[in-house]
Amino acid sequence: MLKPLLIALSIFSTNAFATWQLDNSKSDLSFTSIKKAQIAENHHFGKLEGQIDKEGTLQFSIDLSSVESMIPIRNQRMQTMLFEVAKFPKAHVSADVSTHLMSLKNGTQQLKNVKATLDLHGQQQTFIMDLVVNKHNNQLQVSPVRAILINAASYKLTQGIEALRKVAGLDRIATTVPVTFSLVFNEHTK
């Protein structure tokens, strides 16, 4: 009787009182833009920071000035014309994973119907996503099951997309983009 209780308490203390710190060097967040109705290009952000706190809130921020498209002038245009980093330097994501955190075991698990909020360009939208979590000892890798579709109109980014379209001389740039991520968190016990 004592052994199962000790195991339960050790699991509880590890997960309930631990914080998980995002490892930027092992994490990635990328999106795909589509121009001329058929040319897709991948882009990513180089600077992410975040954590999963003791209450089970996953939070991370994206430094929008770290956008990387592999073309320096396009990076600069996205920073100034699309994201307007002087006014909106970061995007913020939060999600409540508290109900799942207590039951995480080593290995791959799927978290269903996770409610998340994206604060981007001064606008906030809430959406539901499914996540895959791979826990290995003191590390979590968190990824969406499928790409998350971000509609520019929901974040008042269509004017910026139109400005990019004009300066690049394109007939069209899609206003909905798929976003995916792989976030790695290292456990910190207190």
Side-chain angles (χ1 to χ4, degrees):
M1 178 68 179
L2 184 59
K3 188 174 180 180
L5 178 61
L6 290 174
I7 291 170
L9 287 174
S10 71
I11 291 170
F12 178 77
S13 66
T14 298
N15 288 331
F17 301 112
T19 59
W20 299 83
Q21 194 66 42
L22 188 132
D23 186 338
N24 185 68
S25 68
K26 295 180 181 174
S27 299
D28 181 72
L29 185 141
S30 61
F31 65 98
T32 303
S33 65
I34 301 171
K35 62 184 183 184
K36 297 183 180 181
Q38 62 185 4
I39 300 171
E41 296 175 309
N42 288 323
H43 317 288
H44 69 275
F45 294 95
K47 293 181 184 173
L48 308 172
E49 55 186 24
Q51 69 174 359
I52 302 173
D53 66 21
K54 289 189 278 187
E55 288 75 38
T57 302
L58 184 156
Q59 297 179 324
F60 69 95
S61 61
I62 305 152
D63 181 341
L64 299 174
S65 68
S66 72
V67 66
E68 182 56 69
S69 68
M70 308 313 283
I71 299 174
I73 188 68
R74 183 167 54 192
N75 294 347
Q76 182 184 22
R77 288 174 177 169
M78 280 198 270
Q79 291 166 10
T80 58
M81 300 167 87
L82 177 63
F83 298 125
E84 297 182 279
V85 296
K87 287 196 285 189
F88 308 106
K90 293 185 178 184
H92 302 277
V93 178
S94 63
D96 182 0
V97 295
S98 60
T99 57
H100 305 288
L101 199 58
M102 294 301 295
S103 62
L104 285 178
K105 299 178 182 95
N106 279 332
T108 303
Q109 296 144 82
Q110 202 170 88
L111 311 185
K112 296 281 193 181
N113 300 316
V114 175
K115 184 177 178 181
T117 302
L118 171 60
D119 185 337
L120 171 64
H121 204 248
Q123 305 300 307
Q124 236 183 43
Q125 299 291 324
T126 301
F127 56 94
I128 302 294
M129 63 181 167
D130 295 336
L131 298 173
V132 172
V133 176
N134 188 338
K135 181 180 182 201
H136 183 68
N137 297 327
N138 297 332
Q139 196 169 71
L140 295 177
Q141 182 177 6
V142 180
S143 303
V145 172
R146 61 197 59 83
I148 298 158
L149 298 177
I150 302 296
N151 185 324
S154 299
Y155 299 94
K156 297 192 177 180
L157 292 169
T158 51
Q159 189 174 5
I161 290 175
E162 180 61 14
L164 288 174
R165 185 196 66 76
K166 285 181 181 176
V167 77
L170 299 169
D171 58 344
R172 184 169 181 216
I173 298 177
T175 56
T176 299
V177 297
V179 175
T180 191
F181 56 82
S182 175
L183 305 176
V184 174
F185 294 89
N186 296 314
E187 183 178 22
H188 290 276
T189 54
K190 295 186 179 183

